[in-house]
Amino acid sequence: MTILDGNIVTVAMPAVQSDLGFSGPGLAWVVNAYLIPFGGLLLLVGRLGDLIGRKRMFTAGLAVFTAASVLCGVANGQAMLIAARALQGVGGAMTSAVVLGMLVALFPEPRDQARAIAVFSAVGAAGGALGTFLGGALTQALNWHWIFLINLPIGIVSGLAAVRVLAPDRGAGLGKGADYPGAALVTGALMLTVYVIVGAGDRELTATLLLAALSLTLFVAFTLRQARAARPLLRLRLFGSRLLSGANAVQILMIATMYGFQFIGALYLQRVLGYGELLTGTAFLPAPIAIGVLMLGLSARTVGRFGAYRVLLAGLVLIVAGMALLSRAPVDGSYVTDVLPPLLLLSTGFAAAMPALTGLAMSGAREEDAGLASGLFNTTQVVGGSLGLAVLSVLAASRTEGLLDEGAAAVAATAEGYQLAFRVATGIAVGALGLAAAVLRAPAR
């Protein structure tokens, strides 16, 4: 539910704009208002989950997210919708940041943990992929309000199940890691980083560079604070784990590739092939089906047999192949021959790579840091997705505008812009593969 809401609005954007009178730049804040607090708070609430108890943080986050979803659904003005989306981002961060830490604690045995992570990854990936379909289906069948109101029954059932099923955990106590100045610095730095990335295409380069420099300054100040604090929010030794640091770096590149495919791919279907909202969502349905089947049926057993490192590399090879095929998508393309084959390659590769990468990242953290490591892993997902969207959409738009200025036909220029974005995404995926091969190999026993 929380991952789905990061992109369910993509297909519904025209309806939201028409109903509430958003300008072009203003409409982007329907997405950005969710991503900024979500990405900025993950590290903080992940650590707080270690301190006050992960179940408590998880159930509180569900309550906040569900209430915010209702506010989004009944919003009748721009300010109310954007504020409610920001509150959704807060609730989403509270739940998402502690989930992996809870899984590690609940399933300490490697075989059970691999199965649990496969289920978790399948649910998350399906939520992300289903967002496009549900956004189009609900908007076309009912109206855009229902893309948010659908969360009310889901949130209530999830909250009741969490209260009844999850065992309580006491946490270490706030006194063992409540570095409030450090929390303010890292939260401000992460929020500013996401803001810089998601708005890069709408502001001058000088302003973007100044904001990026400010964000870097906050990160440096946070690092110095953590090195000297008696009870640091983030123990810097966490980054001494080659597996955890390397897996997070690989994830930034992999998620940038996949988010770029999802966003640019939807635009290609609509603006080049002429698909409507519902048909665009339906065209993406094979992705969550393939991901769910492969992750739940094969992922844990495959990782257990061949090892996470080999499975991760095989998945990344498939992602590179899928993006390379997609970069040939022509102006007169066909879904069956030009979209579906790369879609299946990307889905299969992601189904293999994501659980393996998650297991490698969490294996590099101690139990007392599991919530923090979970928050960090989710943070790099948001940063990677935001970075991929910003870079690839700007490149596609610039290429299209250049061709239009040269007198090219609108559809042909748009298709070539998307082809450039897909080629760059292929290069990013190659970078993820090379980094994984170099950094994540397990030491010889």
Side-chain angles (χ1 to χ4, degrees):
M1 180 175 65
T2 55
I3 294 175
L4 182 148
D5 264 69
N7 65 359
I8 194 172
V9 298
T10 304
V11 180
M13 286 289 220
V16 175
Q17 184 175 24
S18 175
D19 193 13
L20 299 184
F22 276 100
S23 64
L27 187 63
W29 280 100
V30 178
V31 176
N32 296 348
Y34 180 84
L35 289 177
I36 291 172
F38 185 88
L41 290 170
L42 279 167
L43 199 59
L44 170 61
V45 295
R47 183 58 180 160
L48 289 177
D50 289 333
L51 300 177
I52 67 173
R54 294 167 200 144
K55 177 180 178 179
R56 189 177 300 171
M57 180 64 73
F58 182 78
T59 52
L62 274 176
V64 171
F65 186 91
T66 305
S69 296
V70 175
L71 291 176
C72 288
V74 301
N76 56 7
Q78 298 179 17
M80 182 177 179
L81 179 59
I82 290 174
R85 285 287 284 167
L87 188 60
Q88 261 193 321
V90 174
M94 293 170 69
T95 56
S96 299
V98 295
V99 171
L100 282 174
M102 294 167 71
L103 286 181
V104 170
L106 286 168
F107 302 99
E109 293 298 322
R111 185 183 297 273
D112 293 338
Q113 191 176 109
R115 292 175 61 190
I117 287 176
V119 173
F120 165 77
S121 301
V123 171
L130 281 171
T132 306
F133 170 74
L134 289 177
L138 290 172
T139 301
Q140 189 162 317
L142 299 169
N143 56 59
W144 65 265
H145 297 274
W146 283 95
I147 66 177
F148 302 113
L149 294 175
I150 195 68
N151 290 334
L152 178 59
I154 299 173
I156 291 174
V157 171
S158 301
L160 292 174
V163 170
R164 290 178 59 87
V165 173
L166 295 177
D169 56 321
R170 296 177 59 86
L174 283 175
K176 294 192 176 181
D179 176 24
Y180 297 110
L185 285 170
V186 73
T187 302
L190 286 169
M191 284 189 173
L192 186 57
T193 298
V194 178
Y195 172 72
V196 169
I197 292 172
V198 297
D202 300 321
R203 69 173 75 92
E204 294 293 331
L205 179 60
T206 303
T208 297
L209 292 176
L210 288 174
L211 290 171
L214 177 58
S215 175
L216 181 61
T217 302
L218 290 174
F219 274 120
V220 171
F222 170 72
T223 302
L224 294 175
R225 168 75 187 179
Q226 297 311 285
R228 299 176 181 179
R231 293 192 178 100
L233 177 75
L234 172 61
R235 298 181 181 94
L236 297 181
R237 61 170 169 75
L238 192 68
F239 295 99
S241 167
R242 174 177 55 84
L243 290 178
L244 186 142
S245 298
N248 277 279
V250 170
Q251 179 174 233
I252 289 177
L253 300 178
M254 185 178 78
I255 296 297
T257 301
M258 296 302 295
Y259 263 68
F261 149 70
Q262 192 169 343
F263 183 74
I264 303 295
L267 292 177
Y268 172 77
L269 290 173
Q270 289 179 302
R271 297 180 179 176
V272 177
L273 301 188
Y275 283 28
E277 295 169 343
L278 182 58
L279 192 57
T280 298
T282 305
F284 274 87
L285 266 183
I289 294 172
I291 289 171
V293 170
L294 291 170
M295 281 188 177
L296 295 177
L298 297 175
S299 182
R301 283 181 288 177
T302 305
V303 170
R305 181 174 179 181
F306 298 103
Y309 174 75
R310 292 178 180 175
V311 174
L312 171 61
L313 293 188
L316 289 172
V317 167
L318 292 176
I319 290 174
V320 170
M323 288 307 307
L325 279 178
L326 203 57
S327 65
R328 300 169 52 255
V331 66
D332 56 348
S334 163
Y335 173 76
V336 174
T337 59
D338 298 305
V339 178
L340 184 58
L343 176 68
L344 293 176
L345 281 173
L346 288 164
S347 303
T348 304
F350 188 77
M354 193 61 192
L357 188 63
T358 305
L360 287 169
M362 295 306 295
S363 69
R366 300 179 184 179
E367 198 282 330
E368 64 267 24
D369 294 325
L372 181 59
S374 172
L376 178 63
F377 195 70
N378 282 284
T379 299
T380 56
Q381 280 191 12
V382 176
V383 171
S386 302
L387 188 62
L389 274 178
V391 171
L392 297 178
S393 59
V394 167
L395 287 174
S398 299
R399 176 62 173 162
T400 299
E401 290 173 7
L403 291 171
L404 289 174
D405 291 340
E406 295 173 5
V411 176
T414 302
E416 287 204 34
Y418 296 155
Q419 287 173 2
L420 174 62
F422 290 140
R423 287 195 293 271
V424 173
T426 304
I428 296 173
V430 171
L433 175 60
L435 183 62
V439 174
L440 298 180
R441 177 186 290 276
R445 291 174 180 260

